[in-house]
């Protein structure tokens, strides 16, 4: 697939995370050391956080050591998102089954940042939404090397684990003294013990406010013949209502990448899983498929660190498809993880984004090797709020569809749900021909899509509307 242009995407702001303009740094000097400790979930602060969390209950505060994020179901359109009130928080560090080294203990006393640190390059302006007092770094070395870097640069080791998809140790360093993230990244770049250095970017689920599921007809799939039986699909999303009748027997495994954050909303993830493989009255596109669900979002938000943990877990489940119905800024760590997952034979499907025709590109959809899906309605019209750009690969139904939710069922709209339709359709292809490779599937989808809009591939519809019947025949 042709290389996609690199354009940064600013996700919808939320009250619990501090957003950063494309040319600005964001750091909040008002955080107390106790609040920092609570957010980083250090052992020393655990008892006090459990008592009062360092704040009052409600969205955007830590209570009982858990971070409360704003409501998930948000009416994104037609009104623009409200500007957030700065209140930096960070989802709890995931407990990865692949961890080989326990996180280093928290510092025993105040950290005094060293003076005279070298900079490998001028501090960069960090684009997109990110956690203002953290950076993600890959390190070649053991726990001792990780701690030595922290000591040298006056940082805190908030978590560390061995990442399968990155092939190295991923460390989440805290910045306790208020230095801008760009400055710390430049200081880390001058340290030869580090490999990659990135902000801990924030990503947002892609659901628009919203009748019968017309998707089967529009993508040329006979609902009576649809099957994804035993095809393994990973979904990275919110928590789910696994008691919903539409998900009975559908969920083969679950992983919570943010176990210290209480689950408050289950709608988005339940809808995505149901559209892919739901059973009963709300039958999905690929009945019989096995969903491996990783919870990595609350309040519609997650961080790069949490998402990478979920991706590593998904890679260990021997899945054929990974559905990523979320959008955020370009991040090299995420790009590497996606590239390596594709190299392992997984088909990656992602929402193109719901932020309008003038929005920057949305990631992970805009990475090479990821099928970026936009949303169309029952008449094959483009969802007005959809992102546009050369990275858009395929169109699929995603406007006003009935789907299971945390409250039973709901009418849903967004590129999130169009991505789910494509994931389910690909499961049908794999069920019919298990030997089809990710490259073969991608080429077949592009070659057989029903052209919409300007002739050929365009920035609105990509190659056009998914035609699963034609894609299946393309193998023959």
């Amino acid at each position: 697939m042709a290389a996609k242009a690199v354009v940064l995407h600013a996700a919808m702001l939320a009250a619990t995370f501090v957003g950063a303009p494309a040319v600005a740094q964001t750091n909040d000097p008002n955080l107390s050391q106790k609040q920092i400790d609570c957010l980083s979930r250090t052992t020393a602060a655990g008892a006090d956080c459990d008592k009062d969390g360092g704040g009052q209950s409600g969205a955007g505060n830590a209570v009982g050591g858990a971070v409360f994020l704003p409501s998930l179901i948000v009416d994104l359109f037609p009104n623009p998102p409200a500007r957030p009130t700065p209140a930096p928080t960070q989802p709890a560090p995931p407990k990865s089954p692949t961890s080989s080294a326990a996180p280093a203990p928290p510092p025993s006393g105040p950290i005094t940042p060293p003076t005279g640190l070298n900079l490998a390059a001028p501090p960069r302006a960090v684009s997109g939404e990110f956690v203002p007092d953290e950076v993600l770094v890959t390190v070649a070395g053991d726990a001792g090397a990780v701690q030595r870097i922290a000591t040298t640069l006056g940082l805190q080791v908030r978590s560390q684990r061995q990442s399968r998809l990155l092939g190295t140790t991923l460390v989440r360093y805290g910045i306790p003294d208020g230095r801008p993230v760009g400055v710390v990244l430049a200081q880390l770049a001058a340290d030869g013990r580090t490999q990659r250095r990135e902000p801990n970017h924030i990503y947002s689920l892609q659901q628009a406010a919203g009748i019968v599921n017309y998707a089967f007809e529009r993508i040329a799939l006979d609902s009576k013949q649809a099957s994804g039986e035993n095809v393994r699909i990973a979904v990275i999303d919110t928590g789910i209502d696994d008691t919903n009748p539409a998900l009975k027997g559908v969920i083969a495994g679950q992983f919570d990448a943010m176990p210290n954050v209480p689950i408050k909303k289950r709608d988005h993830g339940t809808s995505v899983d149901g559209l892919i493989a739901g059973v009963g009255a709300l039958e999905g596109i690929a009945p019989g498929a096995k969903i491996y669900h990783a919870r990595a979002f609350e309040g519609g938000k997650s961080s790069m660190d949490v998402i990478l943990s979920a991706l590593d877990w998904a890679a260990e489940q021997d899945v054929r498809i990974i559905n990523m119905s979320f959008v955020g800024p370009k991040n090299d760590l995420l790009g590497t993880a996606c590239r390596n997952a594709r190299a392992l034979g997984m088909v990656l499907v992602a929402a193109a984004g719901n932020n309008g025709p003038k929005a920057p590109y949305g990631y992970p959809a805009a990475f090479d090797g990821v099928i970026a899906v936009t949303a169309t309605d029952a008449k094959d019209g483009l969802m007005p709020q959809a992102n546009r750009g050369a990275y858009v690969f395929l169109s699929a139904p995603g406007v006003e569809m009935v789907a299971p939710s945390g409250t039973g069922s709901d009418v849903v709209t967004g590129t999130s749900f169009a991505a789910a339709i494509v994931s389910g359709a690909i499961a049908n292809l794999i069920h019919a021909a298990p030997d089809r490779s990710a490259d073969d599937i991608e080429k077949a989808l592009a070659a057989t899509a029903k052209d919409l809009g300007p002739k050929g591939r365009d920035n609105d519809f990509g190659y056009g509307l998914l035609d699963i019947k034609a894609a299946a025949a393309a193998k023959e």
Side-chain angles (χ1 to χ4, degrees):
M1 184 170 62
K4 300 175 183 176
V6 178
V7 182
L8 301 175
H9 172 80
M12 183 189 72
L13 301 180
T16 28
F17 291 97
V18 174
V23 294
Q25 301 278 347
T26 303
N27 288 276
D28 188 346
N30 298 319
L31 242 63
S32 68
Q33 185 62 46
K34 179 178 179 181
Q35 288 173 314
I36 292 173
D37 290 340
C38 287
L39 291 175
S40 62
R41 291 156 297 279
T42 60
T43 302
D48 291 340
C49 292
D50 287 340
K51 292 177 182 178
D52 58 28
Q56 298 175 353
S57 62
N61 293 307
V63 179
V67 179
F68 285 85
L69 300 173
S71 174
L72 167 65
I73 302 301
V74 186
D75 186 358
L76 300 182
F77 310 105
N79 298 318
R83 297 187 63 184
T85 300
T89 60
Q90 163 64 4
K95 296 181 180 179
S96 170
T98 60
S99 295
S100 58
S108 57
I111 293 179
T112 302
T115 57
L117 291 173
N118 293 326
L119 298 177
R124 79 191 202 204
V126 180
S127 299
E129 212 176 341
F130 60 95
V131 182
D133 66 339
E134 290 184 352
V135 291
L136 298 180
V137 182
T138 55
V139 176
D142 57 14
V146 169
Q147 186 57 55
R148 286 192 291 274
I149 292 171
T151 301
T152 301
L153 297 179
L155 303 174
Q156 292 175 332
V157 180
R158 293 186 176 172
S159 68
Q160 61 180 293
R161 62 184 182 81
Q162 184 66 27
S163 170
R164 178 183 180 185
L165 291 176
L166 298 179
T168 187
T169 300
L170 177 66
V171 186
R172 182 165 59 96
Y173 284 114
I175 309 170
D177 58 9
R179 276 173 289 170
V181 166
V183 170
V184 174
L185 292 174
Q187 292 170 340
L188 284 162
D191 192 310
R193 295 168 293 187
T194 69
Q195 298 169 314
R196 291 189 174 93
R197 301 146 294 273
E198 290 287 338
N200 194 4
H201 277 125
I202 304 302
Y203 291 74
S204 303
L205 293 169
Q206 295 300 288
Q207 170 167 310
I211 240 189
V212 173
N213 190 345
Y214 52 89
F216 286 98
E217 176 187 358
R218 300 318 306 153
I219 68 172
L221 177 63
D222 186 340
S223 62
K224 296 180 180 178
Q225 297 180 1
S227 176
E229 186 174 2
N230 295 324
V231 177
R232 300 161 74 95
I233 305 172
V235 174
I236 299 174
D237 216 285
T238 67
I240 57 171
D241 177 11
D242 51 13
T243 67
N244 190 304
L247 298 187
K248 184 177 181 180
V250 172
I251 308 302
Q254 294 192 60
F255 171 65
D256 193 344
M258 45 199 310
N260 296 327
V261 179
I263 299 177
K264 300 180 71 176
K265 292 288 186 179
R266 304 171 187 266
D267 301 284
H268 194 278
T270 303
S271 295
V272 168
D273 286 1
L275 287 170
I276 293 174
V279 297
L282 297 175
E283 185 177 57
I285 296 297
K290 299 299 180 185
I291 301 291
Y292 290 81
H293 191 96
R295 182 242 179 173
F297 284 81
E298 189 60 50
K301 295 289 183 179
S302 186
S303 71
M304 187 75 280
D305 182 44
V306 172
I307 291 170
L308 287 171
S309 175
L311 278 170
D312 276 327
W313 177 81
E316 292 173 351
Q317 309 312 306
D318 192 29
V319 298
R320 293 293 305 275
I321 304 164
I322 299 180
N323 188 91
M324 299 177 286
S325 290
F326 53 85
V327 157
K330 185 176 184 291
N331 185 292
D332 183 58
L333 297 174
L334 180 59
T336 299
C338 288
R339 183 169 59 250
N340 290 340
R342 179 62 181 267
L344 291 172
M346 302 173 207
V347 183
L348 307 179
V349 181
N354 301 341
N355 297 298
K358 296 183 179 180
Y361 285 13
Y363 292 86
F367 286 123
D368 287 337
V370 179
I371 296 174
V373 184
T374 193
T376 52
D377 60 24
K379 295 182 179 180
D380 301 340
L382 187 66
M383 185 182 80
Q385 303 90 348
N387 286 34
R388 319 292 166 86
Y391 74 102
V392 176
F393 186 86
L394 200 64
S395 303
V399 178
E400 294 186 342
M401 296 189 299
V402 174
S405 72
T407 57
S409 64
D410 202 354
V411 177
V412 297
T413 291
T415 57
S416 276
F417 309 112
I421 296 299
V422 171
S423 291
I426 292 171
N428 278 264
L429 295 179
I430 294 174
H431 170 69
D435 62 333
R436 294 191 83 159
S437 68
D439 286 344
D440 176 67
I441 289 170
E442 183 178 292
K443 290 176 183 177
L445 293 174
T448 61
K450 177 184 176 183
D451 196 16
L452 300 175
K455 185 175 178 59
R457 185 177 185 178
D458 62 77
N459 290 349
D460 292 351
F461 298 96
Y463 284 102
L465 181 66
L466 169 66
D467 186 331
I468 199 64
K469 183 177 180 179
K475 177 66 175 178
E476 300 173 359

